[in-house]
Amino acid sequence: MELKLELEPTNQKPKKQQRRKREKYMPHAVPLVLPPCRICGKLASGIHYGVNSCEACKGFFRRYLKRKEPFQCTKGGNCVIDQSSAGSMCSGCRLQKCFSLGMSKEGIRQGRYTLQERTNAIIEMKKRQTERCSTESREDNCNHYLENEMQSSPFDYPSLSSSDMQSDSASSFSCSQNSSLTSTSSIFPPSSTSSPSSISSSLGSSVIKSNKPDPQILKNMKTEYSKIPSELDSSTNEIQQHISCNDSSSSTSTSEKHSQNSTVSQLLFPLTTENIAQDSEEHSTIEKLMEGYKELKPFTKNLSDEEIQALLSDGFQKYSQKVNLFGSMDPLPANVYNEIFNITNMDIDGRMKIFDLIRQELVTVIHEYVRFTHGIPAFQNLPSKDQASLLKAARLEFFLLLGYRSLDPETGMMVSYTGHVLPIRQFCAYAPGDMSTSWLEVTRHIRHLQLHPKEHAAMLGICLTFTDRCPLEDPKSVEKIQTCLLGVLQNMLRVRYQGASGRHLARIMDVFIKLRGLNEEFLMVYKKICQDRFIIQHLPELLQFLFDE
Amino acid sequence: MELKLELEPTNQKPKKQQRRKREKYMPHAVPLVLPPCRICGKLASGIHYGVNSCEACKGFFRRYLKRKEPFQCTKGGNCVIDQSSAGSMCSGCRLQKCFSLGMSKEGIRQGRYTLQERTNAIIEMKKRQTERCSTESREDNCNHYLENEMQSSPFDYPSLSSSDMQSDSASSFSCSQNSSLTSTSSIFPPSSTSSPSSISSSLGSSVIKSNKPDPQILKNMKTEYSKIPSELDSSTNEIQQHISCNDSSSSTSTSEKHSQNSTVSQLLFPLTTENIAQDSEEHSTIEKLMEGYKELKPFTKNLSDEEIQALLSDGFQKYSQKVNLFGSMDPLPANVYNEIFNITNMDIDGRMKIFDLIRQELVTVIHEYVRFTHGIPAFQNLPSKDQASLLKAARLEFFLLLGYRSLDPETGMMVSYTGHVLPIRQFCAYAPGDMSTSWLEVTRHIRHLQLHPKEHAAMLGICLTFTDRCPLEDPKSVEKIQTCLLGVLQNMLRVRYQGASGRHLARIMDVFIKLRGLNEEFLMVYKKICQDRFIIQHLPELLQFLFDE
DNA sequence: CGAGGTCAAGGATAGA
DNA sequence: TCTATCCTTGACCTCG
Ligand SMILES: [Zn+2]
Ligand SMILES: [Zn+2]
Ligand SMILES: [Zn+2]
Ligand SMILES: [Zn+2]
């Protein structure tokens, strides 16, 4: 009788009662009959992560975003996702469907592109570019990467309600006056690298030494890559043919193609009768690439996955024990650990040890890095300035990609280039907390790819030959190299995965995108840190490696 | 033998590792911690099928629902069901118990609790508790917080399908032999505080000094709070009356109440004819509280919000500039900043400065803290051990709550107790990254409450008088004080917000819950850090403040 | 109105 | 087989 809360008459039992089974939850009475969930077909509750979807699918995608580590289908990846399968949908395929319908964090994304669609777009772009490179007079010889303003983006999502616009943009696309721009510059955010004139001594000297244009090698290159000549204006007709083949819809069935001596890339290198020789050509490209790849000798190179894992686990145990000595800080996050480390004056020693390690390793590493590029077709024909720029711009991504087997994404332990086992946090001491997390995540993704060495080598080559990461004197040649490597990679994937190769390539492209993201992050943060007196004093080599002056 | 492991599909290996040690499963950070399973007494994981129960009993009932075939007892149907019989309970009797407690398919409830529901539950809890405290003989005089097993839960939502059961449980409730338990211990996670015997010198001495029972003050207290006497066994009848009034239904209209001189809390202090004097009583309570509140003199106390904001903004600018000198680290997170700070050897100075500051402030602060408690009705009548325990246990939450105006949750800058402006990250140097985030978040919430000083004072008092945060000699008296303060607060809210006061109270309760969470976090992390040599050496006062030995 | 959090239902699975 | 735990799901809620 005396409850004052009765002013709000609802809060008593009756409220609890009405709170039983309700019908479908709709945040608001939905005036219009909205389309059903695009993913599962159930009643949608709104637009979530960019896609009209139901509460369930929304939650599913949200959980994915939190828990990372994409789900894997165990049944071939072709499970049906609809309301009939509610409650027990295959998570892997459901996630794939979410992706393919364009779900993404914040729904902001540049369009509703699938990984696969994105990859296709990238590849198509590259194709068109090569075409243009070949057909165009070289009057626009300026740097690709300086021009990426105003480019009409191929990623602008075609609005469903304006299909006329779509064709508009499609037609304007091929005759765009800005058409010489790279596609990658719109896919990857523009890099914030500095001018190419400043070259670190250790890196620069290696490059210069190795860059005296050896006429013999150059000749070999010409032989091997006669279809992609160093003279841009010649022999374009063949490539043009490829393109015209490819411009038509891609609906031609694979089996048809097989009659034409296939397993060879069709998207990038559609077969024509003149392309019969490509197989062997590609083979020698791979061989050369692998020679360069052999030059890279990270400690883990010749270890099996199990051996590496044993190393890492062992190291992790020892590390944990060590950490326990400092006040049992084991479960504490890195920054706390580092703080303790610093304050107890143990840090300086610890850090110095690592710096010494880094210093030693850098010398070896950089030489091997340069030698790897000798295996990249025509790379040595590039202007030496470009070679240096590329090496510099790709350094971080290259080594992250190179070392993916050496890092346990679960424990964060890594085997260094010369075989020291340590937590990556010590490498990331100066980075914001989530930098090492990103590194781990990318590594997880790369591991997920289950790469063969040849694929790995090709990826490393591709990684080195993005034209949008730095200003270049001759971006077209670089572009061409990358296109070639992409073709090689694609063929390998096709041989290995057949129909699923598209998805795999998509995953690989995604890794590149993620790597690029890390690189950006890295540049932003480390630019500032390089001014640190301590580093300047104790690790000038690192600065030379990391920065441009 | 090893093949068995390999049967598990490919890349699962790290995941399976963790299987050995399993703790009680609690569905991730339960904000509303519930009393133990009503069926078997083990730790409950939530409300299942309408009854507060554990995972096991939930699963048991689910299996029954599927199998349909009801279990049959073979031993007469009177088997004991509790945790001691775990694993080998009689299924028939277990199911019977499930039924008798109201488990049913219809009892289910979906979705989360509204803020208001939660608050209502909390308040209801408190009410019932006070009831129990007063009616019970003191034979069970042991610590509240040790006993929170087996309490019958007022959180059990009455199952719709078994309304008869409801009255059953209601009647069993009031005569429960375990009824002396605190509610808060089930709402808030149990605190991990240490024994009350160890008291830090600085805190302890203040308390002891102030705790010599001043006969004059004690007399005043008796006059002012004669209805809540320090002697527990006397004058309980009045409170009992409140309670008995309160047990009946709450359907009397508010307007009726107003004829009885209301605006006084009815939920906690239901009006009876004897309660006419309460208004003035409450008034004097508030006045006394405010006297204590005046003793608290944080630098910002007499500044307007705008003035504080100006201070903070100014400090933030200066801080940013300073930070820019160290390699323009402005946007970097705290850990990086601290690292730089340490490595350049500027850190030690910086840290030491702050330590000095903390040391200075602690002395002032603790004295004022103790003096504040003099304004809490009957607080000084508590056993001095209890006073010290409460002061100790509440210290963090108290100061976070006290200083909410001094902290800009957007920039993370704060004005210290004596007026120094600095980023809170420097206070949180040893905490994991998200600790300061939590602090900011709680502060945001408190600011959102738009508290009046009196409300603030009441909250501080309530904050100090939770019985579940530490062991107490006389928890019931503490409980009574808190109930009184809650009533006062509730009335103030009602005057100010009328119909919306329920929601506001809900928000306030939520803040308490959040503060408690921070406290838990704090205790977990800082326990370890107190072993740090550097701190022991340079800031023993801090340790005394933070810890118990 | 959508992102994100909450939390009970139910499935999966190791253990008894 | 039954039990108890772990984990994913999806309806519902809050907040900005
Ligand atoms: Zn759906
Ligand atoms: Zn599937
Ligand atoms: Zn149970
Ligand atoms: Zn039985």
Side-chain angles (χ1 to χ4, degrees):
Chain A
M1 68 186 169
E2 50 289 89
L3 280 190
K4 191 62 127 310
L5 284 180
E6 66 207 46
L7 280 177
E8 304 165 60
T10 47
N11 67 353
Q12 283 306 317
K13 320 259 159 151
K15 176 147 194 188
K16 288 171 194 165
Q17 285 174 0
Q18 57 169 239
R19 165 175 310 294
R20 300 176 47 208
K21 260 288 198 234
R22 291 182 182 171
E23 317 81 79
K24 269 283 170 266
Y25 171 70
M26 293 304 295
H28 219 11
V30 188
L32 305 171
V33 182
L34 288 170
C37 171
R38 303 259 327 253
I39 287 114
C40 74
K42 278 187 299 202
L43 182 55
S45 69
I47 290 166
H48 306 295
Y49 304 100
V51 175
N52 187 292
S53 48
C54 68
E55 281 294 304
C57 293
K58 165 189 147 193
F60 174 77
F61 196 76
R62 172 161 40 77
R63 282 190 299 273
Y64 154 72
L65 288 177
K66 238 196 347 225
R67 301 245 170 219
K68 272 312 171 196
E69 190 82 41
F71 309 92
Q72 193 66 29
C73 173
T74 54
K75 283 175 254 173
N78 289 313
C79 310
V80 181
I81 306 294
D82 59 17
Q83 65 261 62
S84 62
S85 49
S88 59
M89 295 177 228
C90 164
S91 303
C93 297
R94 191 182 190 182
L95 185 61
Q96 278 310 309
K97 195 159 181 191
C98 288
F99 284 143
S100 75
L101 288 164
M103 264 198 174
S104 66
K105 175 94 179 154
E106 303 295 336
I108 296 172
R109 197 75 155 232
Q110 67 259 74
R112 210 178 297 179
Y113 275 76
T114 321
L115 274 184
Q116 196 134 178
E117 285 169 318
R118 235 162 45 177
T119 309
N120 290 342
I122 293 169
I123 288 172
E124 181 157 329
M125 260 326 230
K126 267 195 177 304
K127 207 176 54 194
R128 287 183 190 268
Q129 241 170 271
T130 310
E131 166 183 15
R132 261 175 269 119
C133 281
S134 315
T135 46
E136 263 160 24
S137 61
R138 355 151 96 203
E139 78 231 350
D140 57 1
N141 206 6
C142 27
N143 286 329
H144 281 199
Y145 114 118
L146 291 175
E147 289 180 23
N148 54 6
E149 320 254 46
M150 303 198 48
Q151 179 184 12
S152 63
S153 166
F155 288 95
D156 286 342
Y157 186 67
S159 145
L160 290 172
S161 58
S162 57
S163 51
D164 45 339
M165 283 302 166
Q166 233 174 299
S167 52
D168 256 21
S169 62
S171 62
S172 74
F173 185 88
S174 56
C175 59
S176 156
Q177 58 170 343
N178 293 304
S179 54
S180 72
L181 303 171
T182 67
S183 62
T184 40
S185 57
S186 56
I187 288 151
F188 304 112
S191 159
S192 56
T193 37
S194 53
S195 81
S197 56
S198 53
I199 300 167
S200 90
S201 60
S202 67
L203 199 54
S205 62
S206 304
V207 168
I208 281 149
K209 193 188 69 191
S210 66
N211 208 32
K212 301 282 174 234
D214 178 345
Q216 183 55 44
I217 291 176
L218 210 148
K219 218 173 120 194
N220 289 345
M221 292 292 287
K222 286 227 177 178
T223 316
E224 285 179 33
Y225 294 94
S226 57
K227 306 267 162 56
I228 306 168
S230 55
E231 308 240 19
L232 286 182
D233 44 356
S234 71
S235 81
T236 58
N237 48 345
E238 190 176 78
I239 292 164
Q240 267 184 297
Q241 275 177 343
H242 299 171
I243 285 145
S244 55
C245 288
N246 208 28
D247 264 345
S248 58
S249 93
S250 59
S251 58
T252 325
S253 83
T254 321
S255 52
E256 263 181 272
K257 292 286 165 191
H258 273 302
S259 64
Q260 289 189 12
N261 180 28
S262 191
T263 67
V264 181
S265 166
Q266 285 162 20
L267 188 54
L268 283 167
F269 291 93
L271 282 183
T272 65
T273 43
E274 308 141 347
N275 284 34
I276 294 171
Q278 259 195 350
D279 245 1
S280 75
E281 218 172 89
E282 209 167 85
H283 193 73
S284 73
T285 303
I286 294 173
E287 222 162 67
K288 192 151 187 304
L289 201 57
M290 289 310 286
E291 266 172 46
Y293 187 66
K294 277 196 199 94
E295 296 290 338
L296 297 168
K297 292 166 190 124
F299 188 83
T300 53
K301 188 81 165 279
N302 295 314
L303 300 181
S304 70
D305 288 345
E306 290 72 17
E307 288 169 313
I308 296 174
Q309 194 54 49
L311 259 179
L312 290 169
S313 301
D314 184 59
F316 183 63
Q317 279 203 339
K318 284 185 185 144
Y319 172 67
S320 302
Q321 283 167 14
K322 205 175 93 192
V323 146
N324 271 325
L325 291 181
F326 290 98
S328 58
M329 316 252 61
D330 185 354
L332 292 183
N335 54 338
V336 177
Y337 169 80
N338 286 329
E339 289 243 326
I340 299 294
F341 226 62
N342 287 337
I343 284 171
T344 56
N345 284 323
M346 302 295 289
D347 61 327
I348 304 293
D349 304 357
R351 200 169 303 279
M352 286 302 280
K353 236 187 229 160
I354 291 179
F355 283 172
D356 273 336
L357 182 62
I358 295 179
R359 192 181 310 143
Q360 286 171 32
E361 293 197 347
L362 274 180
V363 181
T364 338
V365 156
I366 288 174
H367 279 257
E368 296 183 5
Y369 184 29
V370 172
R371 280 202 295 271
F372 169 77
T373 65
H374 298 183
I376 300 176
F379 191 89
Q380 285 180 91
N381 301 349
L382 295 172
S384 60
K385 232 183 185 175
D386 283 3
Q387 292 189 41
S389 299
L390 288 171
L391 280 161
K392 227 171 190 354
R395 70 220 166 205
L396 179 77
E397 296 176 45
F398 185 90
F399 286 106
L400 296 192
L401 179 56
L402 177 63
Y404 81 99
R405 293 179 72 229
S406 308
L407 172 59
D408 180 350
E410 306 315 322
T411 62
M413 292 300 287
M414 65 172 287
V415 184
S416 82
Y417 207 80
T418 54
H420 295 80
V421 182
L422 73 172
I424 59 159
R425 308 202 289 240
Q426 300 196 346
F427 269 138
C428 292
Y430 285 85
D434 46 355
M435 174 111 192
S436 74
T437 314
S438 313
W439 182 0
L440 291 177
E441 198 206 311
V442 175
T443 299
R444 232 191 302 272
H445 276 88
I446 304 175
R447 281 172 164 243
H448 202 76
L449 295 173
Q450 311 253 35
L451 294 174
H452 286 172
K454 286 178 183 174
E455 294 158 356
H456 191 203
M459 279 185 73
L460 288 168
I462 291 165
C463 176
L464 256 163
T465 49
F466 281 101
T467 57
D468 62 321
R469 221 164 12 204
C470 56
L472 293 168
E473 292 182 346
D474 185 5
K476 288 173 191 170
S477 299
V478 176
E479 192 74 52
K480 223 172 268 176
I481 294 172
Q482 193 181 51
T483 306
C484 162
L485 292 173
L486 250 180
V488 168
L489 177 61
Q490 225 183 0
N491 279 347
M492 291 192 288
L493 293 176
R494 195 155 309 143
V495 169
R496 188 171 161 199
Y497 295 111
Q498 280 95 40
S501 73
R503 194 162 57 247
H504 278 266
L505 186 60
R507 292 220 176 98
I508 287 175
M509 298 314 287
D510 203 48
V511 163
F512 281 127
I513 290 170
K514 284 190 163 62
L515 281 171
R516 179 64 62 97
L518 247 178
N519 196 36
E520 302 291 326
E521 208 181 323
F522 167 84
L523 286 173
M524 298 245 278
V525 175
Y526 279 58
K527 279 264 166 181
K528 292 166 181 172
I529 284 162
C530 73
Q531 293 156 20
D532 184 86
R533 274 180 276 150
F534 189 80
I535 297 252
I536 292 169
Q537 186 184 339
H538 292 104
L539 203 51
E541 295 92 335
L542 181 61
L543 279 187
Q544 285 182 336
F545 179 67
L546 296 181
F547 304 107
D548 303 292
E549 69 270 273
Chain B
M1 284 309 165
E2 310 88 271
L3 282 181
K4 205 164 57 169
L5 273 177
E6 286 164 25
L7 285 177
E8 311 220 18
T10 56
N11 55 1
Q12 292 286 69
K13 50 196 163 183
K15 202 159 186 190
K16 290 286 149 191
Q17 224 72 341
Q18 39 141 249
R19 86 170 79 106
R20 257 297 97 85
K21 259 256 167 107
R22 286 180 172 177
E23 293 125 55
K24 273 276 171 270
Y25 172 67
M26 289 301 295
H28 223 61
V30 185
L32 235 187
V33 176
L34 296 161
C37 172
R38 295 255 263 142
I39 288 120
C40 74
K42 279 188 298 198
L43 182 56
S45 68
I47 291 163
H48 307 295
Y49 303 100
V51 175
N52 182 300
S53 48
C54 68
E55 278 293 302
C57 292
K58 165 190 136 190
F60 173 77
F61 196 76
R62 172 161 36 83
R63 284 191 298 277
Y64 152 72
L65 286 176
K66 245 212 314 243
R67 307 235 175 260
K68 246 347 185 181
E69 210 75 34
F71 305 95
Q72 211 58 3
C73 174
T74 55
K75 281 174 258 169
N78 288 313
C79 311
V80 181
I81 306 295
D82 59 18
Q83 67 257 64
S84 61
S85 50
S88 60
M89 288 177 244
C90 164
S91 303
C93 294
R94 192 182 188 181
L95 185 60
Q96 276 314 305
K97 193 161 183 189
C98 289
F99 284 142
S100 77
L101 288 164
M103 264 197 175
S104 71
K105 187 87 178 159
E106 286 72 35
I108 69 171
R109 145 210 194 122
Q110 289 173 355
R112 76 195 264 203
Y113 299 93
T114 65
L115 217 53
Q116 198 134 152
E117 279 175 309
R118 254 162 92 169
T119 311
N120 290 343
I122 291 170
I123 287 175
E124 184 164 326
M125 255 319 202
K126 259 199 179 304
K127 209 174 56 192
R128 294 195 186 262
Q129 233 172 279
T130 310
E131 166 181 11
R132 264 175 267 119
C133 281
S134 315
T135 45
E136 261 159 28
S137 61
R138 18 164 68 191
E139 76 230 353
D140 55 3
N141 206 7
C142 25
N143 286 329
H144 279 198
Y145 98 118
L146 293 173
E147 288 182 22
N148 54 4
E149 322 254 32
M150 303 202 52
Q151 180 183 16
S152 61
S153 167
F155 281 98
D156 288 344
Y157 279 88
S159 147
L160 292 170
S161 60
S162 55
S163 51
D164 46 336
M165 286 304 164
Q166 226 175 303
S167 52
D168 256 22
S169 63
S171 62
S172 76
F173 186 90
S174 55
C175 59
S176 156
Q177 57 171 345
N178 294 301
S179 52
S180 73
L181 304 171
T182 70
S183 64
T184 40
S185 58
S186 51
I187 287 151
F188 303 112
S191 160
S192 55
T193 36
S194 50
S195 79
S197 56
S198 53
I199 301 166
S200 90
S201 59
S202 67
L203 199 54
S205 62
S206 303
V207 168
I208 281 152
K209 194 186 69 192
S210 67
N211 207 33
K212 299 283 177 231
D214 178 347
Q216 183 56 43
I217 292 177
L218 210 148
K219 216 172 126 195
N220 289 347
M221 292 291 289
K222 285 228 175 180
T223 314
E224 285 179 34
Y225 294 95
S226 56
K227 306 269 162 52
I228 307 169
S230 56
E231 309 238 21
L232 283 183
D233 44 355
S234 71
S235 81
T236 57
N237 47 346
E238 191 177 77
I239 293 163
Q240 264 181 295
Q241 276 175 345
H242 298 169
I243 286 144
S244 55
C245 288
N246 208 26
D247 266 343
S248 55
S249 101
S250 59
S251 56
T252 323
S253 84
T254 321
S255 51
E256 265 182 88
K257 289 291 153 190
H258 274 301
S259 65
Q260 290 191 7
N261 180 28
S262 192
T263 66
V264 181
S265 165
Q266 286 162 18
L267 185 58
L268 286 167
F269 288 92
L271 281 182
T272 66
T273 42
E274 306 142 347
N275 285 33
I276 293 171
Q278 259 194 351
D279 241 4
S280 74
E281 218 171 89
E282 208 167 78
H283 193 73
S284 73
T285 303
I286 294 173
E287 220 158 69
K288 191 150 190 305
L289 201 57
M290 290 311 285
E291 267 173 45
Y293 187 68
K294 277 196 200 97
E295 295 290 337
L296 297 168
K297 292 163 191 129
F299 188 82
T300 53
K301 188 80 165 280
N302 295 314
L303 300 182
S304 71
D305 288 343
E306 290 72 26
E307 286 166 326
I308 296 174
Q309 194 53 49
L311 258 180
L312 290 168
S313 301
D314 183 60
F316 183 64
Q317 278 202 343
K318 282 187 185 143
Y319 172 67
S320 302
Q321 283 168 14
K322 203 176 93 193
V323 146
N324 272 325
L325 292 182
F326 291 98
S328 56
M329 316 252 59
D330 184 355
L332 292 183
N335 54 337
V336 178
Y337 168 81
N338 286 327
E339 290 242 326
I340 300 295
F341 226 63
N342 288 336
I343 284 171
T344 55
N345 283 324
M346 303 294 289
D347 61 325
I348 304 292
D349 304 355
R351 201 170 300 279
M352 287 301 278
K353 237 189 228 159
I354 291 179
F355 283 173
D356 274 335
L357 182 62
I358 294 180
R359 193 180 311 142
Q360 285 170 31
E361 294 199 339
L362 275 180
V363 181
T364 338
V365 155
I366 287 173
H367 278 257
E368 296 182 9
Y369 184 29
V370 173
R371 278 202 294 273
F372 169 77
T373 65
H374 297 183
I376 300 176
F379 192 88
Q380 286 180 92
N381 301 349
L382 295 172
S384 60
K385 230 181 186 176
D386 282 3
Q387 292 190 41
S389 301
L390 288 171
L391 280 162
K392 227 172 189 355
R395 69 220 166 204
L396 180 78
E397 296 175 46
F398 185 89
F399 286 107
L400 296 191
L401 178 56
L402 177 62
Y404 81 98
R405 293 179 73 227
S406 308
L407 173 59
D408 180 351
E410 306 316 320
T411 62
M413 293 300 286
M414 65 174 286
V415 183
S416 82
Y417 207 81
T418 54
H420 296 81
V421 182
L422 74 172
I424 60 158
R425 307 201 290 240
Q426 299 195 347
F427 270 140
C428 292
Y430 284 85
D434 46 347
M435 174 112 193
S436 74
T437 314
S438 312
W439 181 2
L440 292 176
E441 199 206 310
V442 175
T443 300
R444 232 189 304 271
H445 276 89
I446 304 175
R447 280 171 165 245
H448 200 76
L449 295 175
Q450 310 253 34
L451 295 173
H452 286 171
K454 285 178 185 175
E455 294 158 355
H456 192 201
M459 278 185 73
L460 288 168
I462 292 165
C463 176
L464 255 164
T465 48
F466 281 102
T467 57
D468 61 320
R469 220 163 16 203
C470 58
L472 293 169
E473 291 183 347
D474 183 6
K476 288 173 191 169
S477 298
V478 176
E479 189 75 48
K480 223 172 271 177
I481 295 172
Q482 193 180 52
T483 305
C484 162
L485 292 172
L486 250 180
V488 168
L489 176 62
Q490 224 182 0
N491 278 347
M492 291 191 289
L493 293 176
R494 196 156 310 144
V495 169
R496 188 169 162 201
Y497 295 109
Q498 281 96 40
S501 72
R503 192 162 57 249
H504 278 266
L505 186 60
R507 292 226 173 92
I508 286 175
M509 297 314 287
D510 206 45
V511 162
F512 281 126
I513 290 171
K514 284 189 164 64
L515 281 171
R516 179 63 62 95
L518 247 178
N519 196 36
E520 302 290 326
E521 208 182 322
F522 166 84
L523 286 173
M524 299 245 278
V525 174
Y526 279 58
K527 279 264 164 178
K528 293 167 180 171
I529 284 160
C530 73
Q531 295 155 18
D532 183 87
R533 274 180 277 148
F534 188 80
I535 295 253
I536 291 170
Q537 187 185 339
H538 292 104
L539 203 52
E541 294 93 340
L542 181 61
L543 280 187
Q544 284 181 335
F545 181 65
L546 296 181
F547 303 107
D548 302 292
E549 70 267 275

